[in-house]
Amino acid sequence: MSGPDTTPHPSFALQGFYGWVEPLKGIHYGPGSISTALPYFIENLGVKKALVVTGKSLHDKTDVVKKVEGVLKSVDAYGATFWEIGEHSPIAGIRNGIKAFRDAGCDFIVAVGGGSPIDASKAMLYYMHQEYKVEIMPQIAIPTTLSAAEYTVGAGYTDDNGVKVAVTDPKLVPSGIILDAELTLPTPERLWLSTGIRSLDHAVENLYRPLIPPPLKIMCYAAIADLFKYLPESKANPQSVEVRQRLQLASWMSIWPHSRLKYSALGLSHALGHKLGAAYSIPHGITSCLTLAPVVNLKAEVASQEDKECLAASLFYLGKPSTGSLEGDVRMLSSLITELVSKLGLQSNLTHYKVPKEDVRQLAVSSLGSAEDPHVGKVMKLLEDLY
């Protein structure tokens, strides 16, 4: 997958570009909304038969998929269910999913679960478009985690060599998104909370991602504040549907749907996460728990003045006083993220995931995109400190 965008860009503070993502027809949210939202999208999209794409655990261990199937059957739009999507969306599952889609005569996908089934569904639709010369068909996304894959035009998956790669097309964003917090109740606590840190990763890295318009950054600050508030509340009271719904809304604000003039990874934390996740079987959310705080700490040293100001402004939204210096404020944000990860019981290290220390240099280079990047040594040190 692509590394951080290091191309020099003029400030987007006063001049820039914002584009809506054309396929997205709407986002329904609210507890129990699946029963009305799914038929609404089916009617408005003019689609007939769905392939439900999900993961094995969600299919076998919960009734979430059965609820979705039931709604589809009630409007005579159910085709089949495919549940062979593994973590990080392996290409084998994508190929098998395409076969299941075509065998059942489907014309749209309902993706249920976290980032893996949603991204796998995008990849399936992309490769059917490429191979069979058909228009990219619709997807309706029903997320049960906070990873926020449903808001983007890209799809990350794992190739035959175990490397995380991506495809992107403006038409890959889902045509409909349903945020029904009741469907998240069976999501395992560690998965739910760690993908909440993934959303925090989106919000924080959007503050220094090039070409992000100011209104989207304001939503990122709102997302940061709500994630800091409601993730601990969700851990303390996991059955609170209201708190879960607020977290789904925060996840939405963390990476508001929009089209860009150029696609790139959000930032260094995401780039490191992509390299670590698929290669060493580290879940999406846990990679953010590992990398976000140290990357923010590094930004206090290497970021531009404008990017430091954007990060430092987070303290106001978190109700924290300034330390008196810009760099100090950025480091304070890093410390607050570390404290949040700890409070949620999500601390981990690279030793636990058996990441060989001899891989550190290659991880740093591939995440930055070049062995000539001036920060290779600093990123290597960042990784070494994660053992």
Side-chain angles (χ1 to χ4, degrees):
M1 298 183 75
S2 59
D5 184 359
T6 57
T7 307
H9 293 287
S11 170
F12 242 42
L14 296 178
Q15 182 175 343
F17 171 82
Y18 172 82
W20 183 247
V21 281
E22 185 181 336
L24 181 57
K25 305 304 182 187
I27 299 173
H28 280 261
Y29 61 93
S33 57
I34 181 70
S35 61
T36 55
L38 190 49
Y40 169 89
F41 282 127
I42 291 168
E43 180 180 355
N44 280 270
L45 293 171
V47 288
K48 302 298 183 186
K49 188 181 285 189
L51 178 71
V52 178
V53 175
T54 189
K56 183 174 175 58
S57 292
L58 196 63
H59 179 269
D60 292 352
K61 297 178 181 179
T62 79
D63 65 353
V64 170
V65 177
K66 290 182 177 61
K67 288 180 179 178
V68 174
E69 291 171 344
V71 176
L72 289 169
K73 289 173 182 177
S74 74
V75 293
D76 196 26
Y78 177 72
T81 298
F82 179 77
W83 61 86
E84 296 178 26
I85 301 300
E87 194 168 68
H88 299 294
S89 311
I91 186 64
I94 291 167
R95 293 189 185 112
N96 292 339
I98 291 172
K99 183 177 186 304
F101 184 95
R102 291 173 59 79
D103 287 350
C106 297
D107 63 347
F108 73 110
I109 288 176
V110 176
V112 185
S116 293
I118 292 170
D119 272 0
S121 296
K122 294 180 196 173
M124 288 165 56
L125 296 170
Y126 178 86
Y127 283 113
M128 283 190 284
H129 165 66
Q130 293 286 311
E131 185 170 348
Y132 303 111
K133 308 303 178 187
V134 295
E135 289 294 314
I136 293 176
M137 288 174 275
Q139 175 192 166
I140 298 170
I142 306 174
T144 60
T145 74
L146 298 168
S147 62
E150 58 271 15
Y151 304 110
T152 71
V153 300
Y157 66 94
T158 308
D159 68 13
D160 288 316
N161 298 315
V163 176
K164 195 71 176 281
V165 295
V167 293
T168 183
D169 188 291
K171 294 183 179 179
L172 286 181
V173 73
S175 298
I177 299 169
I178 302 171
L179 305 177
D180 184 339
E182 289 181 357
L183 300 181
T184 74
L185 287 169
T187 303
E189 179 187 88
R190 186 171 176 83
L191 176 59
W192 177 250
L193 297 176
S194 65
T195 54
I197 299 297
R198 186 69 168 173
S199 282
L200 183 64
D201 203 347
H202 301 329
V204 170
E205 291 224 293
N206 264 324
L207 295 178
Y208 49 77
R209 186 184 191 183
L211 310 181
I212 296 295
L216 269 61
K217 292 191 178 186
I218 296 300
M219 282 189 281
C220 288
Y221 289 127
I224 290 167
D226 281 357
L227 290 163
F228 266 87
K229 175 178 172 61
Y230 292 114
L231 282 171
E233 287 191 20
S234 191
K235 180 176 175 63
N237 186 8
Q239 295 305 306
S240 173
V241 174
E242 178 182 340
V243 170
R244 287 174 172 269
Q245 195 66 66
R246 291 185 182 279
L247 283 168
Q248 284 195 306
L249 295 173
S251 176
W252 174 12
M253 290 190 292
S254 77
I255 189 164
W256 192 263
H258 68 290
S259 62
R260 294 166 53 79
L261 297 174
K262 174 186 175 184
Y263 177 78
S264 68
L266 271 145
L268 179 58
S269 179
H270 280 70
L272 287 167
H274 293 150
K275 303 306 177 186
L276 287 166
Y280 308 103
S281 300
I282 307 176
H284 289 108
I286 297 299
T287 63
S288 293
C289 295
L290 286 164
T291 61
L292 179 57
V295 165
V296 171
N297 191 60
L298 178 61
K299 290 291 180 181
E301 181 181 351
V302 304
S304 69
Q305 178 79 3
E306 183 177 352
D307 288 347
K308 289 178 187 178
E309 289 172 356
C310 287
L311 286 167
S314 300
L315 296 188
F316 171 81
Y317 293 88
L318 293 172
K320 302 293 182 182
S322 171
T323 64
S325 77
L326 202 54
E327 291 75 16
D329 287 355
V330 177
R331 292 193 176 95
M332 171 64 77
L333 175 60
S334 172
S335 297
L336 291 170
I337 295 167
T338 299
E339 289 173 13
L340 178 62
V341 170
S342 178
K343 186 185 299 184
L344 298 176
L346 298 173
Q347 315 95 309
S348 192
N349 56 63
L350 297 185
T351 303
H352 175 79
Y353 288 99
K354 299 181 173 57
V355 179
K357 290 190 174 183
E358 54 267 29
D359 291 1
V360 162
R361 178 172 174 78
Q362 181 53 38
L363 283 166
V365 169
S366 60
S367 297
L368 290 167
S370 169
E372 305 306 314
D373 190 287
H375 302 315
V376 168
K378 294 181 188 299
V379 176
M380 287 178 64
K381 177 65 166 57
L382 183 157
L383 288 165
E384 288 164 356
D385 288 343
L386 294 179
Y387 282 90

